[in-house]
Amino acid sequence: MSMGPRWQKSSYCMNASDCVELARLRPDTIGIRDSKQVQADGPVLAFSTPGFESLITRIKGGDLDHG
């Protein structure tokens, strides 16, 4: 019996219900989902591990800020 991914809410969310959750979907894939969309068939963005690391680097560097 498969337990499925173990989703973890961002530590920046504290007790907020509107947040993101991350899970390792496969050894080389990380998933991101909206914490309000937790049903089994809810939308998930899937990234390769290097793609996810690149996304985090770009977010931290402000490359995706619009303003």
Side-chain angles (χ1 to χ4, degrees):
M1 182 171 114
S2 174
M3 298 287 290
R6 198 169 117 200
W7 292 94
Q8 185 172 8
K9 191 179 279 193
S10 169
S11 61
Y12 287 98
C13 295
M14 304 255 187
N15 294 326
S17 61
D18 299 340
C19 203
V20 297
E21 296 178 325
L22 304 174
R24 184 159 300 276
L25 304 177
R26 292 185 296 277
D28 62 345
T29 307
I30 297 173
I32 302 173
R33 72 179 183 182
D34 183 335
S35 64
K36 296 183 304 297
Q37 302 288 328
V38 296
Q39 66 273 18
D41 62 345
V44 174
L45 295 173
F47 292 87
S48 66
T49 302
F52 178 76
E53 291 168 352
S54 176
L55 174 65
I56 296 302
T57 298
R58 292 187 67 198
I59 290 170
K60 287 181 177 181
D63 294 346
L64 302 176
D65 291 349
H66 298 282

PDB file of all heavy atoms in Angstrom, residues 21-59:
ATOM      1  N   GLU A  21       2.722  23.969  -0.086  1.00  0.00           N
ATOM      2  CA  GLU A  21       3.261  22.746   0.492  1.00  0.00           C
ATOM      3  C   GLU A  21       4.195  22.109  -0.522  1.00  0.00           C
ATOM      4  O   GLU A  21       3.981  22.220  -1.730  1.00  0.00           O
ATOM      5  CB  GLU A  21       2.142  21.765   0.844  1.00  0.00           C
ATOM      6  CG  GLU A  21       1.210  22.275   1.915  1.00  0.00           C
ATOM      7  CD  GLU A  21       0.088  21.311   2.225  1.00  0.00           C
ATOM      8  OE1 GLU A  21      -0.400  20.621   1.309  1.00  0.00           O
ATOM      9  OE2 GLU A  21      -0.299  21.251   3.394  1.00  0.00           O
ATOM     10  N   LEU A  22       5.222  21.446  -0.017  1.00  0.00           N
ATOM     11  CA  LEU A  22       6.206  20.768  -0.854  1.00  0.00           C
ATOM     12  C   LEU A  22       6.252  19.295  -0.496  1.00  0.00           C
ATOM     13  O   LEU A  22       6.015  18.924   0.656  1.00  0.00           O
ATOM     14  CB  LEU A  22       7.602  21.352  -0.635  1.00  0.00           C
ATOM     15  CG  LEU A  22       7.792  22.843  -0.841  1.00  0.00           C
ATOM     16  CD1 LEU A  22       9.200  23.247  -0.436  1.00  0.00           C
ATOM     17  CD2 LEU A  22       7.535  23.208  -2.280  1.00  0.00           C
ATOM     18  N   ALA A  23       6.579  18.466  -1.480  1.00  0.00           N
ATOM     19  CA  ALA A  23       6.766  17.036  -1.229  1.00  0.00           C
ATOM     20  C   ALA A  23       7.707  16.473  -2.281  1.00  0.00           C
ATOM     21  O   ALA A  23       7.733  16.935  -3.426  1.00  0.00           O
ATOM     22  CB  ALA A  23       5.449  16.290  -1.274  1.00  0.00           C
ATOM     23  N   ARG A  24       8.474  15.483  -1.877  1.00  0.00           N
ATOM     24  CA  ARG A  24       9.282  14.740  -2.850  1.00  0.00           C
ATOM     25  C   ARG A  24       8.356  13.708  -3.472  1.00  0.00           C
ATOM     26  O   ARG A  24       7.838  12.828  -2.795  1.00  0.00           O
ATOM     27  CB  ARG A  24      10.476  14.070  -2.191  1.00  0.00           C
ATOM     28  CG  ARG A  24      11.352  13.399  -3.232  1.00  0.00           C
ATOM     29  CD  ARG A  24      12.759  13.165  -2.778  1.00  0.00           C
ATOM     30  NE  ARG A  24      13.506  14.350  -2.403  1.00  0.00           N
ATOM     31  CZ  ARG A  24      14.155  15.148  -3.243  1.00  0.00           C
ATOM     32  NH1 ARG A  24      14.108  14.929  -4.540  1.00  0.00           N
ATOM     33  NH2 ARG A  24      14.854  16.151  -2.787  1.00  0.00           N
ATOM     34  N   LEU A  25       8.096  13.858  -4.769  1.00  0.00           N
ATOM     35  CA  LEU A  25       7.179  12.963  -5.466  1.00  0.00           C
ATOM     36  C   LEU A  25       7.878  11.693  -5.933  1.00  0.00           C
ATOM     37  O   LEU A  25       7.292  10.616  -5.932  1.00  0.00           O
ATOM     38  CB  LEU A  25       6.554  13.675  -6.664  1.00  0.00           C
ATOM     39  CG  LEU A  25       5.821  14.989  -6.341  1.00  0.00           C
ATOM     40  CD1 LEU A  25       5.315  15.632  -7.620  1.00  0.00           C
ATOM     41  CD2 LEU A  25       4.703  14.761  -5.347  1.00  0.00           C
ATOM     42  N   ARG A  26       9.118  11.850  -6.354  1.00  0.00           N
ATOM     43  CA  ARG A  26       9.997  10.759  -6.767  1.00  0.00           C
ATOM     44  C   ARG A  26      11.402  11.177  -6.360  1.00  0.00           C
ATOM     45  O   ARG A  26      11.614  12.334  -5.989  1.00  0.00           O
ATOM     46  CB  ARG A  26       9.914  10.554  -8.287  1.00  0.00           C
ATOM     47  CG  ARG A  26       8.564  10.015  -8.753  1.00  0.00           C
ATOM     48  CD  ARG A  26       8.546   9.715 -10.243  1.00  0.00           C
ATOM     49  NE  ARG A  26       8.716  10.883 -11.088  1.00  0.00           N
ATOM     50  CZ  ARG A  26       7.760  11.715 -11.447  1.00  0.00           C
ATOM     51  NH1 ARG A  26       6.536  11.538 -11.026  1.00  0.00           N
ATOM     52  NH2 ARG A  26       8.005  12.744 -12.219  1.00  0.00           N
ATOM     53  N   PRO A  27      12.368  10.300  -6.433  1.00  0.00           N
ATOM     54  CA  PRO A  27      13.730  10.688  -6.021  1.00  0.00           C
ATOM     55  C   PRO A  27      14.266  11.928  -6.748  1.00  0.00           C
ATOM     56  O   PRO A  27      15.045  12.681  -6.192  1.00  0.00           O
ATOM     57  CB  PRO A  27      14.566   9.454  -6.354  1.00  0.00           C
ATOM     58  CG  PRO A  27      13.605   8.320  -6.250  1.00  0.00           C
ATOM     59  CD  PRO A  27      12.287   8.868  -6.754  1.00  0.00           C
ATOM     60  N   ASP A  28      13.800  12.168  -7.971  1.00  0.00           N
ATOM     61  CA  ASP A  28      14.305  13.293  -8.763  1.00  0.00           C
ATOM     62  C   ASP A  28      13.259  14.370  -9.038  1.00  0.00           C
ATOM     63  O   ASP A  28      13.445  15.213  -9.909  1.00  0.00           O
ATOM     64  CB  ASP A  28      14.871  12.772 -10.088  1.00  0.00           C
ATOM     65  CG  ASP A  28      13.804  12.078 -10.929  1.00  0.00           C
ATOM     66  OD1 ASP A  28      12.721  11.746 -10.382  1.00  0.00           O
ATOM     67  OD2 ASP A  28      14.039  11.867 -12.124  1.00  0.00           O
ATOM     68  N   THR A  29      12.138  14.339  -8.299  1.00  0.00           N
ATOM     69  CA  THR A  29      11.043  15.275  -8.577  1.00  0.00           C
ATOM     70  C   THR A  29      10.466  15.835  -7.283  1.00  0.00           C
ATOM     71  O   THR A  29      10.172  15.089  -6.356  1.00  0.00           O
ATOM     72  CB  THR A  29       9.911  14.572  -9.358  1.00  0.00           C
ATOM     73  OG1 THR A  29      10.457  13.945 -10.515  1.00  0.00           O
ATOM     74  CG2 THR A  29       8.840  15.560  -9.777  1.00  0.00           C
ATOM     75  N   ILE A  30      10.283  17.167  -7.263  1.00  0.00           N
ATOM     76  CA  ILE A  30       9.692  17.857  -6.116  1.00  0.00           C
ATOM     77  C   ILE A  30       8.390  18.498  -6.573  1.00  0.00           C
ATOM     78  O   ILE A  30       8.335  19.137  -7.623  1.00  0.00           O
ATOM     79  CB  ILE A  30      10.653  18.926  -5.552  1.00  0.00           C
ATOM     80  CG1 ILE A  30      11.911  18.238  -5.029  1.00  0.00           C
ATOM     81  CG2 ILE A  30       9.983  19.758  -4.462  1.00  0.00           C
ATOM     82  CD1 ILE A  30      13.006  19.161  -4.611  1.00  0.00           C
ATOM     83  N   GLY A  31       7.347  18.313  -5.774  1.00  0.00           N
ATOM     84  CA  GLY A  31       6.039  18.884  -6.088  1.00  0.00           C
ATOM     85  C   GLY A  31       5.726  20.067  -5.191  1.00  0.00           C
ATOM     86  O   GLY A  31       6.150  20.126  -4.037  1.00  0.00           O
ATOM     87  N   ILE A  32       4.974  21.009  -5.738  1.00  0.00           N
ATOM     88  CA  ILE A  32       4.501  22.180  -5.005  1.00  0.00           C
ATOM     89  C   ILE A  32       2.994  22.256  -5.225  1.00  0.00           C
ATOM     90  O   ILE A  32       2.523  22.107  -6.361  1.00  0.00           O
ATOM     91  CB  ILE A  32       5.154  23.484  -5.522  1.00  0.00           C
ATOM     92  CG1 ILE A  32       6.677  23.412  -5.426  1.00  0.00           C
ATOM     93  CG2 ILE A  32       4.626  24.690  -4.748  1.00  0.00           C
ATOM     94  CD1 ILE A  32       7.372  24.601  -6.072  1.00  0.00           C
ATOM     95  N   ARG A  33       2.253  22.486  -4.134  1.00  0.00           N
ATOM     96  CA  ARG A  33       0.801  22.633  -4.269  1.00  0.00           C
ATOM     97  C   ARG A  33       0.289  23.712  -3.318  1.00  0.00           C
ATOM     98  O   ARG A  33       0.949  24.090  -2.348  1.00  0.00           O
ATOM     99  CB  ARG A  33       0.077  21.325  -4.010  1.00  0.00           C
ATOM    100  CG  ARG A  33       0.079  20.901  -2.565  1.00  0.00           C
ATOM    101  CD  ARG A  33      -0.681  19.612  -2.368  1.00  0.00           C
ATOM    102  NE  ARG A  33      -0.732  19.235  -0.967  1.00  0.00           N
ATOM    103  CZ  ARG A  33      -1.288  18.142  -0.506  1.00  0.00           C
ATOM    104  NH1 ARG A  33      -1.848  17.293  -1.348  1.00  0.00           N
ATOM    105  NH2 ARG A  33      -1.289  17.878   0.783  1.00  0.00           N
ATOM    106  N   ASP A  34      -0.907  24.181  -3.589  1.00  0.00           N
ATOM    107  CA  ASP A  34      -1.617  25.141  -2.742  1.00  0.00           C
ATOM    108  C   ASP A  34      -2.170  24.375  -1.549  1.00  0.00           C
ATOM    109  O   ASP A  34      -2.826  23.342  -1.720  1.00  0.00           O
ATOM    110  CB  ASP A  34      -2.740  25.766  -3.564  1.00  0.00           C
ATOM    111  CG  ASP A  34      -3.521  26.831  -2.835  1.00  0.00           C
ATOM    112  OD1 ASP A  34      -3.564  26.817  -1.586  1.00  0.00           O
ATOM    113  OD2 ASP A  34      -4.101  27.687  -3.518  1.00  0.00           O
ATOM    114  N   SER A  35      -1.952  24.860  -0.357  1.00  0.00           N
ATOM    115  CA  SER A  35      -2.404  24.153   0.842  1.00  0.00           C
ATOM    116  C   SER A  35      -3.925  24.048   0.923  1.00  0.00           C
ATOM    117  O   SER A  35      -4.443  23.237   1.675  1.00  0.00           O
ATOM    118  CB  SER A  35      -1.855  24.820   2.103  1.00  0.00           C
ATOM    119  OG  SER A  35      -2.357  26.127   2.235  1.00  0.00           O
ATOM    120  N   LYS A  36      -4.648  24.850   0.143  1.00  0.00           N
ATOM    121  CA  LYS A  36      -6.102  24.757   0.122  1.00  0.00           C
ATOM    122  C   LYS A  36      -6.579  23.671  -0.848  1.00  0.00           C
ATOM    123  O   LYS A  36      -7.728  23.295  -0.831  1.00  0.00           O
ATOM    124  CB  LYS A  36      -6.726  26.096  -0.269  1.00  0.00           C
ATOM    125  CG  LYS A  36      -6.452  27.220   0.722  1.00  0.00           C
ATOM    126  CD  LYS A  36      -7.140  28.510   0.338  1.00  0.00           C
ATOM    127  CE  LYS A  36      -6.834  29.042  -1.016  1.00  0.00           C
ATOM    128  NZ  LYS A  36      -5.469  29.436  -1.337  1.00  0.00           N
ATOM    129  N   GLN A  37      -5.695  23.186  -1.695  1.00  0.00           N
ATOM    130  CA  GLN A  37      -6.035  22.192  -2.721  1.00  0.00           C
ATOM    131  C   GLN A  37      -5.417  20.842  -2.367  1.00  0.00           C
ATOM    132  O   GLN A  37      -4.599  20.319  -3.095  1.00  0.00           O
ATOM    133  CB  GLN A  37      -5.516  22.646  -4.093  1.00  0.00           C
ATOM    134  CG  GLN A  37      -6.035  23.979  -4.543  1.00  0.00           C
ATOM    135  CD  GLN A  37      -7.502  23.891  -4.941  1.00  0.00           C
ATOM    136  OE1 GLN A  37      -7.969  22.872  -5.427  1.00  0.00           O
ATOM    137  NE2 GLN A  37      -8.229  24.966  -4.732  1.00  0.00           N
ATOM    138  N   VAL A  38      -5.813  20.280  -1.247  1.00  0.00           N
ATOM    139  CA  VAL A  38      -5.145  19.075  -0.749  1.00  0.00           C
ATOM    140  C   VAL A  38      -5.799  17.768  -1.195  1.00  0.00           C
ATOM    141  O   VAL A  38      -5.318  16.700  -0.845  1.00  0.00           O
ATOM    142  CB  VAL A  38      -5.032  19.108   0.800  1.00  0.00           C
ATOM    143  CG1 VAL A  38      -4.163  20.264   1.238  1.00  0.00           C
ATOM    144  CG2 VAL A  38      -6.388  19.183   1.445  1.00  0.00           C
ATOM    145  N   GLN A  39      -6.867  17.832  -1.962  1.00  0.00           N
ATOM    146  CA  GLN A  39      -7.478  16.600  -2.429  1.00  0.00           C
ATOM    147  C   GLN A  39      -6.483  15.837  -3.310  1.00  0.00           C
ATOM    148  O   GLN A  39      -5.583  16.406  -3.892  1.00  0.00           O
ATOM    149  CB  GLN A  39      -8.798  16.852  -3.165  1.00  0.00           C
ATOM    150  CG  GLN A  39      -8.670  17.603  -4.480  1.00  0.00           C
ATOM    151  CD  GLN A  39      -8.688  19.117  -4.321  1.00  0.00           C
ATOM    152  OE1 GLN A  39      -8.468  19.645  -3.246  1.00  0.00           O
ATOM    153  NE2 GLN A  39      -8.924  19.816  -5.407  1.00  0.00           N
ATOM    154  N   ALA A  40      -6.650  14.539  -3.404  1.00  0.00           N
ATOM    155  CA  ALA A  40      -5.693  13.667  -4.094  1.00  0.00           C
ATOM    156  C   ALA A  40      -5.471  14.069  -5.547  1.00  0.00           C
ATOM    157  O   ALA A  40      -4.374  13.908  -6.072  1.00  0.00           O
ATOM    158  CB  ALA A  40      -6.164  12.225  -4.025  1.00  0.00           C
ATOM    159  N   ASP A  41      -6.481  14.611  -6.201  1.00  0.00           N
ATOM    160  CA  ASP A  41      -6.335  14.969  -7.613  1.00  0.00           C
ATOM    161  C   ASP A  41      -6.170  16.472  -7.823  1.00  0.00           C
ATOM    162  O   ASP A  41      -6.344  16.970  -8.920  1.00  0.00           O
ATOM    163  CB  ASP A  41      -7.521  14.449  -8.415  1.00  0.00           C
ATOM    164  CG  ASP A  41      -8.849  15.052  -7.962  1.00  0.00           C
ATOM    165  OD1 ASP A  41      -8.897  15.651  -6.863  1.00  0.00           O
ATOM    166  OD2 ASP A  41      -9.835  14.916  -8.699  1.00  0.00           O
ATOM    167  N   GLY A  42      -5.836  17.212  -6.763  1.00  0.00           N
ATOM    168  CA  GLY A  42      -5.628  18.654  -6.870  1.00  0.00           C
ATOM    169  C   GLY A  42      -4.396  18.972  -7.694  1.00  0.00           C
ATOM    170  O   GLY A  42      -3.526  18.127  -7.906  1.00  0.00           O
ATOM    171  N   PRO A  43      -4.296  20.209  -8.199  1.00  0.00           N
ATOM    172  CA  PRO A  43      -3.170  20.587  -9.046  1.00  0.00           C
ATOM    173  C   PRO A  43      -1.843  20.600  -8.284  1.00  0.00           C
ATOM    174  O   PRO A  43      -1.777  21.013  -7.127  1.00  0.00           O
ATOM    175  CB  PRO A  43      -3.525  21.991  -9.537  1.00  0.00           C
ATOM    176  CG  PRO A  43      -4.538  22.497  -8.564  1.00  0.00           C
ATOM    177  CD  PRO A  43      -5.234  21.296  -8.001  1.00  0.00           C
ATOM    178  N   VAL A  44      -0.806  20.115  -8.949  1.00  0.00           N
ATOM    179  CA  VAL A  44       0.552  20.072  -8.396  1.00  0.00           C
ATOM    180  C   VAL A  44       1.517  20.520  -9.478  1.00  0.00           C
ATOM    181  O   VAL A  44       1.434  20.068 -10.626  1.00  0.00           O
ATOM    182  CB  VAL A  44       0.925  18.638  -7.935  1.00  0.00           C
ATOM    183  CG1 VAL A  44       2.374  18.574  -7.509  1.00  0.00           C
ATOM    184  CG2 VAL A  44       0.021  18.176  -6.811  1.00  0.00           C
ATOM    185  N   LEU A  45       2.421  21.439  -9.136  1.00  0.00           N
ATOM    186  CA  LEU A  45       3.522  21.787 -10.028  1.00  0.00           C
ATOM    187  C   LEU A  45       4.668  20.836  -9.700  1.00  0.00           C
ATOM    188  O   LEU A  45       5.056  20.706  -8.545  1.00  0.00           O
ATOM    189  CB  LEU A  45       3.981  23.226  -9.796  1.00  0.00           C
ATOM    190  CG  LEU A  45       2.988  24.328 -10.135  1.00  0.00           C
ATOM    191  CD1 LEU A  45       3.531  25.678  -9.689  1.00  0.00           C
ATOM    192  CD2 LEU A  45       2.706  24.332 -11.612  1.00  0.00           C
ATOM    193  N   ALA A  46       5.198  20.171 -10.701  1.00  0.00           N
ATOM    194  CA  ALA A  46       6.288  19.216 -10.485  1.00  0.00           C
ATOM    195  C   ALA A  46       7.565  19.743 -11.140  1.00  0.00           C
ATOM    196  O   ALA A  46       7.543  20.179 -12.289  1.00  0.00           O
ATOM    197  CB  ALA A  46       5.927  17.857 -11.063  1.00  0.00           C
ATOM    198  N   PHE A  47       8.660  19.733 -10.379  1.00  0.00           N
ATOM    199  CA  PHE A  47       9.954  20.213 -10.849  1.00  0.00           C
ATOM    200  C   PHE A  47      11.003  19.125 -10.673  1.00  0.00           C
ATOM    201  O   PHE A  47      10.979  18.405  -9.667  1.00  0.00           O
ATOM    202  CB  PHE A  47      10.423  21.423 -10.011  1.00  0.00           C
ATOM    203  CG  PHE A  47       9.597  22.654 -10.201  1.00  0.00           C
ATOM    204  CD1 PHE A  47       8.461  22.869  -9.432  1.00  0.00           C
ATOM    205  CD2 PHE A  47       9.958  23.602 -11.138  1.00  0.00           C
ATOM    206  CE1 PHE A  47       7.698  24.014  -9.595  1.00  0.00           C
ATOM    207  CE2 PHE A  47       9.193  24.755 -11.303  1.00  0.00           C
ATOM    208  CZ  PHE A  47       8.066  24.957 -10.533  1.00  0.00           C
ATOM    209  N   SER A  48      11.927  19.042 -11.609  1.00  0.00           N
ATOM    210  CA  SER A  48      13.103  18.211 -11.378  1.00  0.00           C
ATOM    211  C   SER A  48      13.858  18.847 -10.212  1.00  0.00           C
ATOM    212  O   SER A  48      13.678  20.041  -9.925  1.00  0.00           O
ATOM    213  CB  SER A  48      13.996  18.175 -12.622  1.00  0.00           C
ATOM    214  OG  SER A  48      14.549  19.467 -12.866  1.00  0.00           O
ATOM    215  N   THR A  49      14.696  18.083  -9.541  1.00  0.00           N
ATOM    216  CA  THR A  49      15.450  18.648  -8.422  1.00  0.00           C
ATOM    217  C   THR A  49      16.286  19.851  -8.867  1.00  0.00           C
ATOM    218  O   THR A  49      16.225  20.903  -8.224  1.00  0.00           O
ATOM    219  CB  THR A  49      16.322  17.572  -7.744  1.00  0.00           C
ATOM    220  OG1 THR A  49      15.445  16.521  -7.297  1.00  0.00           O
ATOM    221  CG2 THR A  49      17.067  18.120  -6.555  1.00  0.00           C
ATOM    222  N   PRO A  50      17.037  19.775  -9.975  1.00  0.00           N
ATOM    223  CA  PRO A  50      17.782  20.968 -10.408  1.00  0.00           C
ATOM    224  C   PRO A  50      16.866  22.132 -10.787  1.00  0.00           C
ATOM    225  O   PRO A  50      17.181  23.293 -10.525  1.00  0.00           O
ATOM    226  CB  PRO A  50      18.569  20.491 -11.631  1.00  0.00           C
ATOM    227  CG  PRO A  50      18.643  19.018 -11.502  1.00  0.00           C
ATOM    228  CD  PRO A  50      17.388  18.605 -10.790  1.00  0.00           C
ATOM    229  N   GLY A  51      15.713  21.836 -11.380  1.00  0.00           N
ATOM    230  CA  GLY A  51      14.763  22.890 -11.734  1.00  0.00           C
ATOM    231  C   GLY A  51      14.212  23.581 -10.494  1.00  0.00           C
ATOM    232  O   GLY A  51      14.068  24.804 -10.457  1.00  0.00           O
ATOM    233  N   PHE A  52      13.912  22.797  -9.455  1.00  0.00           N
ATOM    234  CA  PHE A  52      13.415  23.357  -8.201  1.00  0.00           C
ATOM    235  C   PHE A  52      14.492  24.224  -7.555  1.00  0.00           C
ATOM    236  O   PHE A  52      14.210  25.330  -7.084  1.00  0.00           O
ATOM    237  CB  PHE A  52      12.982  22.240  -7.253  1.00  0.00           C
ATOM    238  CG  PHE A  52      12.495  22.739  -5.926  1.00  0.00           C
ATOM    239  CD1 PHE A  52      11.244  23.301  -5.807  1.00  0.00           C
ATOM    240  CD2 PHE A  52      13.292  22.666  -4.806  1.00  0.00           C
ATOM    241  CE1 PHE A  52      10.790  23.775  -4.585  1.00  0.00           C
ATOM    242  CE2 PHE A  52      12.856  23.128  -3.580  1.00  0.00           C
ATOM    243  CZ  PHE A  52      11.598  23.685  -3.472  1.00  0.00           C
ATOM    244  N   GLU A  53      15.726  23.741  -7.527  1.00  0.00           N
ATOM    245  CA  GLU A  53      16.831  24.519  -6.946  1.00  0.00           C
ATOM    246  C   GLU A  53      17.019  25.830  -7.696  1.00  0.00           C
ATOM    247  O   GLU A  53      17.259  26.877  -7.093  1.00  0.00           O
ATOM    248  CB  GLU A  53      18.110  23.686  -6.947  1.00  0.00           C
ATOM    249  CG  GLU A  53      18.044  22.534  -5.962  1.00  0.00           C
ATOM    250  CD  GLU A  53      19.167  21.514  -6.131  1.00  0.00           C
ATOM    251  OE1 GLU A  53      19.948  21.596  -7.112  1.00  0.00           O
ATOM    252  OE2 GLU A  53      19.256  20.616  -5.276  1.00  0.00           O
ATOM    253  N   SER A  54      16.884  25.794  -9.016  1.00  0.00           N
ATOM    254  CA  SER A  54      16.984  27.009  -9.821  1.00  0.00           C
ATOM    255  C   SER A  54      15.853  27.978  -9.499  1.00  0.00           C
ATOM    256  O   SER A  54      16.074  29.194  -9.383  1.00  0.00           O
ATOM    257  CB  SER A  54      16.961  26.647 -11.307  1.00  0.00           C
ATOM    258  OG  SER A  54      16.963  27.799 -12.113  1.00  0.00           O
ATOM    259  N   LEU A  55      14.643  27.454  -9.345  1.00  0.00           N
ATOM    260  CA  LEU A  55      13.494  28.297  -8.980  1.00  0.00           C
ATOM    261  C   LEU A  55      13.741  28.999  -7.649  1.00  0.00           C
ATOM    262  O   LEU A  55      13.543  30.215  -7.531  1.00  0.00           O
ATOM    263  CB  LEU A  55      12.224  27.453  -8.901  1.00  0.00           C
ATOM    264  CG  LEU A  55      10.971  28.178  -8.398  1.00  0.00           C
ATOM    265  CD1 LEU A  55      10.547  29.265  -9.375  1.00  0.00           C
ATOM    266  CD2 LEU A  55       9.847  27.183  -8.161  1.00  0.00           C
ATOM    267  N   ILE A  56      14.186  28.268  -6.644  1.00  0.00           N
ATOM    268  CA  ILE A  56      14.444  28.852  -5.326  1.00  0.00           C
ATOM    269  C   ILE A  56      15.532  29.921  -5.413  1.00  0.00           C
ATOM    270  O   ILE A  56      15.410  31.000  -4.822  1.00  0.00           O
ATOM    271  CB  ILE A  56      14.819  27.762  -4.301  1.00  0.00           C
ATOM    272  CG1 ILE A  56      13.644  26.804  -4.093  1.00  0.00           C
ATOM    273  CG2 ILE A  56      15.272  28.365  -2.982  1.00  0.00           C
ATOM    274  CD1 ILE A  56      12.363  27.454  -3.629  1.00  0.00           C
ATOM    275  N   THR A  57      16.587  29.652  -6.165  1.00  0.00           N
ATOM    276  CA  THR A  57      17.663  30.632  -6.345  1.00  0.00           C
ATOM    277  C   THR A  57      17.129  31.905  -6.987  1.00  0.00           C
ATOM    278  O   THR A  57      17.446  33.015  -6.551  1.00  0.00           O
ATOM    279  CB  THR A  57      18.794  30.037  -7.204  1.00  0.00           C
ATOM    280  OG1 THR A  57      19.342  28.909  -6.512  1.00  0.00           O
ATOM    281  CG2 THR A  57      19.892  31.058  -7.467  1.00  0.00           C
ATOM    282  N   ARG A  58      16.279  31.763  -7.995  1.00  0.00           N
ATOM    283  CA  ARG A  58      15.705  32.934  -8.673  1.00  0.00           C
ATOM    284  C   ARG A  58      14.763  33.706  -7.759  1.00  0.00           C
ATOM    285  O   ARG A  58      14.747  34.934  -7.771  1.00  0.00           O
ATOM    286  CB  ARG A  58      14.995  32.505  -9.949  1.00  0.00           C
ATOM    287  CG  ARG A  58      15.981  31.988 -11.000  1.00  0.00           C
ATOM    288  CD  ARG A  58      15.327  31.731 -12.310  1.00  0.00           C
ATOM    289  NE  ARG A  58      14.893  33.017 -12.864  1.00  0.00           N
ATOM    290  CZ  ARG A  58      13.988  33.127 -13.833  1.00  0.00           C
ATOM    291  NH1 ARG A  58      13.417  32.047 -14.338  1.00  0.00           N
ATOM    292  NH2 ARG A  58      13.649  34.302 -14.290  1.00  0.00           N
ATOM    293  N   ILE A  59      13.975  32.993  -6.956  1.00  0.00           N
ATOM    294  CA  ILE A  59      13.073  33.667  -6.011  1.00  0.00           C
ATOM    295  C   ILE A  59      13.886  34.457  -4.997  1.00  0.00           C
ATOM    296  O   ILE A  59      13.618  35.634  -4.750  1.00  0.00           O
ATOM    297  CB  ILE A  59      12.142  32.646  -5.304  1.00  0.00           C
ATOM    298  CG1 ILE A  59      11.136  32.091  -6.301  1.00  0.00           C
ATOM    299  CG2 ILE A  59      11.443  33.280  -4.109  1.00  0.00           C
ATOM    300  CD1 ILE A  59      10.337  30.905  -5.787  1.00  0.00           C
TER     301      ILE A  59
END
